[in-house]
Amino acid sequence: QLQLVESGGGLVQPGGSLRLSCAASGFTLNGYSIGWFRQVPGREREGLSCISSGDGKTYYQNSVKGRFSLSRDNAKNTVYLQMKNLQPEDTAVYYCAADSEYFCSGYVFTSFYQYWGVGTQVTVSS
């Protein structure tokens, strides 16, 4: 069974940091481009970033560029999203997703991805 599981969410104060993990079971993540999304109630899921399977390049939306960074640990079959300088507007459920495409060409679109995790809640509040 192919599965993605996010972890690392929680409550953090404004200006704080969190590291989210996206762990895979049933398949090897380094053969997939991995994206991160977030969603707040009543709004569409927002594509944030992607790390490509082919060349390891990373891509970020302007809303998180300079604050979020992606990395892979192939030995742990895990992708990490390091988030810094978090603000209340970053509060959302965060999802990782995987696609077998070589590049992150459509990374902001939910339809680009084949597999999804169930999400982890991030709350930024004082």
Side-chain angles (χ1 to χ4, degrees), residues 1-48:
Q1 184 177 0
L2 305 181
Q3 194 173 12
L4 291 173
V5 179
E6 303 93 338
S7 62
L11 174 64
V12 63
Q13 292 187 340
S17 300
L18 282 175
R19 189 179 75 164
L20 304 184
S21 300
C22 175
S25 59
F27 65 108
T28 303
L29 271 184
N30 67 2
Y32 289 76
S33 292
I34 306 300
W36 283 90
F37 287 73
R38 66 186 178 190
Q39 189 170 25
V40 298
R43 298 182 66 177
E44 290 187 357
R45 198 165 291 190
E46 177 190 10
L48 302 175

Side-chain angles (χ1 to χ4, degrees), residues 11-116:
L11 174 64
V12 63
Q13 292 187 340
S17 300
L18 282 175
R19 189 179 75 164
L20 304 184
S21 300
C22 175
S25 59
F27 65 108
T28 303
L29 271 184
N30 67 2
Y32 289 76
S33 292
I34 306 300
W36 283 90
F37 287 73
R38 66 186 178 190
Q39 189 170 25
V40 298
R43 298 182 66 177
E44 290 187 357
R45 198 165 291 190
E46 177 190 10
L48 302 175
S49 61
C50 182
I51 182 166
S52 68
S53 68
D55 53 12
K57 285 187 177 180
T58 54
Y59 302 85
Y60 303 94
Q61 286 287 77
N62 288 338
S63 57
V64 301
K65 193 175 294 184
R67 299 189 300 126
F68 290 14
S69 62
L70 282 168
S71 61
R72 288 182 186 267
D73 185 333
N74 291 332
K76 295 183 178 180
N77 207 24
T78 300
V79 169
Y80 299 102
L81 180 67
Q82 178 69 52
M83 306 186 296
K84 299 180 180 180
N85 191 24
L86 286 163
Q87 300 301 318
E89 54 266 32
D90 295 314
T91 295
V93 177
Y94 283 71
Y95 299 89
C96 66
D99 188 83
S100 58
E101 285 288 333
Y102 197 76
F103 298 113
C104 294
S105 54
Y107 80 94
V108 298
F109 301 107
T110 57
S111 59
F112 179 74
Y113 298 93
Q114 297 170 279
Y115 307 108
W116 288 86

